[in-house]
Amino acid sequence: MPRTLSPDVIAQKDKEYNRPVELYQIFLDQETLYLAMYPENINFFDENGNPTTYYAAALSRSAVQTNIETKVDQTEVKIDNVNREMSAYIANTDFQGRRLVIWKVFLDK
């Protein structure tokens, strides 16, 4: 007889704060963008341990391409539903080949 999880355990497992959230740090020439793959802004820490706001964005990404040589890992990130200001910023900024750090974190609720 196979074991199954109780309804209470399943309910807890499926709660939103038990799923990891991806936080993106995009390092550009003049600044670093802090974005969250989440429907609202998230306060977390930056690469130096300082409190930072990660702004909500409709992000998606491809699988990270890794290799055993000395090449840098690669992925493709897409940002959907941006306003005109962000669209103009993206059009005038070179994002290709930039350093990107993706953190998977759990929300503490």
Side-chain angles (χ1 to χ4, degrees):
M1 179 173 182
R3 290 187 173 191
T4 59
L5 298 175
S6 71
D8 291 338
V9 171
I10 292 172
Q12 284 297 319
K13 176 187 73 72
D14 291 339
K15 287 190 177 177
E16 188 171 302
Y17 59 79
N18 285 326
R19 295 185 200 134
V21 174
E22 289 188 349
L23 303 179
Y24 290 71
Q25 297 175 337
I26 305 169
F27 295 90
L28 302 173
D29 290 335
Q30 303 299 323
E31 65 181 317
T32 301
L33 297 180
Y34 299 96
L35 304 174
M37 186 187 296
Y38 197 67
E40 57 190 56
N41 295 345
I42 295 176
N43 293 317
F44 199 68
F45 300 96
D46 66 7
E47 64 280 3
N48 298 316
N50 301 316
T52 302
T53 299
Y54 288 77
Y55 295 97
L59 298 164
S60 62
R61 68 173 174 88
S62 64
V64 177
Q65 299 172 7
T66 60
N67 61 66
I68 58 172
E69 299 174 7
T70 58
K71 294 181 182 177
V72 176
D73 297 342
Q74 295 182 355
T75 188
E76 181 178 301
V77 176
K78 295 180 183 178
I79 305 174
D80 297 330
N81 294 335
V82 295
N83 59 21
R84 287 184 183 178
E85 182 181 343
M86 185 64 167
S87 179
Y89 182 79
I90 291 170
N92 293 313
T93 304
D94 183 20
F95 280 83
Q96 291 187 346
R98 298 301 176 149
R99 180 173 170 231
L100 170 71
V101 175
I102 302 172
W103 290 1
K104 284 194 175 221
V105 300
F106 287 90
L107 301 180
D108 185 20
K109 298 277 182 171

